């Protein structure tokens, strides 16, 4: 049986306040959780069983996916405390049924990718590699794992987040690992797969292959990237078999009530049961479920959490608004994250 591990235990700090209530892989992207797009991609590649490596807000993953995904079996391996990316792989690995030499796919839980997972798997088995890393080229590699290869495509180094990257080729967060490689990672302490496991394998002479493919690729870790990913799925730049509605200029989910004089444009999503009043406009934004947007309000490049109430004639640009936040009529915010403090009830505003 073909198996995969998906890493979903991170706290998603760069997407706060949305991730205070919802872990990043469960945030809606074009109407379904980000994770559903990855599950669909794994299922399309023939994966039958997924072990979800959970930590932060683990109960929510169980709630949403314990019944599986379109026939794919899903089980959760919850770390007692965060074990790091490598520790999480090792901890989840105990639940695999694959044999020692079988290839297991490991995915970072926050990436949207259009690459050919089957071709990566083929590359791995053809080379009889220990590890095969999906690599992409990006204009600014400093935020990623920098991965140089030789002329044959064999990985020569793994340099996580360096200031002076030696190549524009980066780790895209989709690995094929020989099962026995997973079994060799310690389970009794936190381990970084990027800073410890991969460099260690290279030092010991293991065969680590690079699979370079320049298909659509995006890490959704920041507000701007999240908006971009949602926009690209809504408008059809990236296809996903997890999408439930047609592609187009915008996506209106079920029971969204849009006044005929309101404008929803530039790949925006309006969530279930949300309403947009007369002459309001929403551009290049994600509005989650059960949100009320008042008359004449303008929202641009913003992420609006579920259950928010935004009064009339507000202006929000480059804003991340936490779930269930109320903004009075006429409010004006730009480049800020805003949420309601649970204890004091006060509005908290931070620069983005
Ligand atoms: N279960 C578990 N436990 N999961 C974790 C933990 C943990 O302790 N720590 C992180 N994760 C998960 C996150 O939820 C995420 O899905 C994935 O591991 C990667 O963590 P990020 O925090 O998103 O890392 P990054 O984006 O800075 O860097 C990683 O991804 C880049 C590509 O998007 C690295 O793998 C880089 O090398 C890579 O280039
Ligand atoms: Mg990430």
């Amino acid at each position: 049986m073909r198996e995969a591990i998906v890493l979903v235990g991170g706290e998603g700090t760069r997407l706060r306040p949305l991730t205070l209530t919802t872990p990043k892989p469960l945030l809606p992207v074009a109407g379904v959780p980000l994770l559903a797009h990855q599950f669909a991609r794994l299922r399309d590649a023939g994966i039958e069983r997924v072990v979800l490596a959970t930590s932060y807000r683990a109960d929510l993953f169980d709630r949403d996916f314990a019944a599986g995904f379109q026939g794919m079996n899903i089980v959760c391996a919850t770390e007692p405390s965060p074990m790091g990316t490598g520790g999480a792989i090792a901890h989840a690995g105990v639940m695999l049924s694959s044999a020692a030499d079988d290839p297991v796919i490991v995915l970072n839980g926050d990436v949207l990718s259009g690459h050919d997972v089957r071709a990566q798997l083929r590359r791995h088995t053809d080379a009889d590699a220990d590890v095969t890393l999906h690599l992409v080229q990006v204009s600014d590699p400093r935020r990623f794992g920098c991965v140089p290869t030789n002329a044959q495509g064999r990985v020569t180094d793994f340099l996580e987040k360096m200031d002076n990257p030696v190549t524009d080729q980066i780790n895209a967060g989709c690995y094929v690992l020989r099962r026995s490689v997973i079994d060799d990672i310690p389970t009794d302490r936190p381990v970084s797969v990027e800073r410890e496991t991969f460099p260690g394998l290279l030092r010991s002479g293991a065969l680590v292959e690079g699979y370079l493919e320049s298909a659509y690729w995006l890490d959704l870790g920041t507000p701007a990237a999240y908006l971009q990913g949602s926009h690209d799925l809504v408008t059809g730049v990236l296809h996903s078999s997890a999408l439930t509605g047609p592609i187009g200029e915008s996506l209106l989910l079920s029971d969204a009530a849009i006044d005929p004089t309101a404008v929803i444009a530039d790949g925006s999503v309006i969530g279930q049961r949300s309403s947009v009043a007369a002459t309001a406009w929403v551009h290049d934004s994600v509005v989650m479920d059960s949100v009320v947007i008042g008359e004449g309000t303008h929202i641009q490049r913003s992420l609006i959490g579920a259950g928010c109430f935004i009064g009339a004639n507000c202006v929000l640009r480059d804003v991340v608004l936490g779930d269930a936040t109320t903004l009075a009529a006429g409010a004006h915010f730009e480049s800020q994250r805003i949420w309601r403090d649970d204890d004091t009830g006060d509005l908290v505003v931070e620069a983005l």
Side-chain angles (χ1 to χ4, degrees):
M1 180 162 39
R2 279 257 190 271
E3 293 182 300
I5 293 172
V6 185
L7 301 176
V8 294
E11 292 189 19
T13 43
R14 290 167 298 175
L15 282 176
R16 280 184 189 161
L18 296 173
T19 45
L20 295 174
T21 34
T22 309
K24 179 166 53 173
L26 294 182
L27 287 173
V29 183
V32 295
L34 168 55
L35 201 48
H37 297 292
Q38 288 172 308
F39 285 160
R41 182 152 292 281
L42 288 172
R43 208 198 44 147
D44 294 347
I47 301 300
E48 295 153 284
R49 183 165 180 270
V50 174
V51 183
L52 268 183
T54 58
S55 171
Y56 177 66
R57 314 253 19 211
D59 51 315
L60 299 179
F61 293 92
D62 242 341
R63 181 198 67 187
D64 288 4
F65 290 110
F69 177 85
Q70 298 181 0
M72 204 165 61
N73 179 238
I74 294 166
V75 292
C76 290
T78 302
E79 295 141 50
S81 59
M83 295 297 282
T85 46
I89 295 169
H91 182 263
V94 174
M95 293 175 77
L96 295 170
S97 55
S98 300
D101 273 333
D102 284 350
V104 175
I105 292 182
V106 176
L107 285 187
N108 282 350
D110 60 345
V111 168
L112 270 184
S113 175
H115 88 285
D116 186 344
V117 181
R118 282 182 196 272
Q120 184 183 352
L121 261 168
R122 263 198 311 277
R123 172 71 184 270
H124 178 83
T125 28
D126 288 352
D128 195 24
D130 297 302
V131 176
T132 302
L133 306 175
H134 174 214
L135 307 177
V136 290
Q137 289 167 306
V138 296
S139 51
D140 183 2
R142 286 173 302 179
R143 288 199 294 120
F144 303 103
C146 197
V147 186
T149 46
N150 68 14
Q152 288 72 43
R154 184 167 175 172
V155 171
T156 53
D157 213 345
F158 196 108
L159 305 150
E160 183 68 9
K161 303 197 175 93
M162 61 183 324
D163 282 338
N164 301 300
V166 295
T167 164
D168 63 355
Q169 230 171 235
I170 61 130
N171 166 31
C174 175
Y175 323 129
V176 185
L177 303 182
R178 192 191 289 279
R179 159 89 202 248
S180 57
V181 166
I182 296 176
D183 292 341
D184 286 344
I185 304 173
T187 51
D188 57 350
R189 60 178 174 86
V191 176
S192 160
V193 78
E194 298 90 348
R195 296 180 194 277
E196 182 176 337
T197 312
F198 292 148
L201 283 164
L202 289 166
R203 273 195 306 274
S204 70
L207 179 53
V208 182
E209 286 286 310
Y211 171 76
L212 184 65
E213 193 189 319
S214 58
Y216 184 97
W217 184 87
L218 198 61
D219 174 323
L220 265 58
T222 63
Y226 179 5
L227 279 174
Q228 180 77 50
S230 180
H231 171 280
D232 290 346
L233 282 165
V234 167
T235 57
V237 173
L238 172 67
H239 171 74
S240 163
S241 57
L243 285 176
T244 50
I247 57 168
E249 170 73 9
S250 58
L251 175 65
L252 310 180
L253 298 177
S254 59
D255 299 323
I258 316 295
D259 186 275
T261 61
V263 176
I264 315 295
D266 288 344
S268 294
V269 183
I270 307 294
Q272 294 178 28
R273 299 173 302 281
S274 290
S275 62
V276 184
T279 69
W281 58 255
V282 179
H283 282 218
D284 198 3
S285 295
V286 175
V287 174
M288 296 183 195
D289 294 345
S290 306
V291 172
V292 175
I293 296 176
E295 198 172 315
T297 281
H298 288 183
I299 297 178
Q300 195 175 10
R301 293 185 304 273
S302 295
L303 297 163
I304 310 296
C308 287
F309 181 95
I310 303 171
N313 302 312
C314 292
V315 177
L316 303 183
R317 262 191 216 109
D318 301 294
V319 159
V320 184
L321 194 59
D323 287 355
T325 308
T326 297
L327 297 182
H332 188 143
F333 290 101
E334 202 156 326
S335 301
Q336 279 155 325
R337 15 181 139 238
I338 307 160
W339 70 99
R340 177 85 46 196
D341 185 289
D342 274 347
D343 298 327
T344 63
D346 294 343
L347 206 60
V348 187
V349 181
E350 270 181 10
L352 198 59

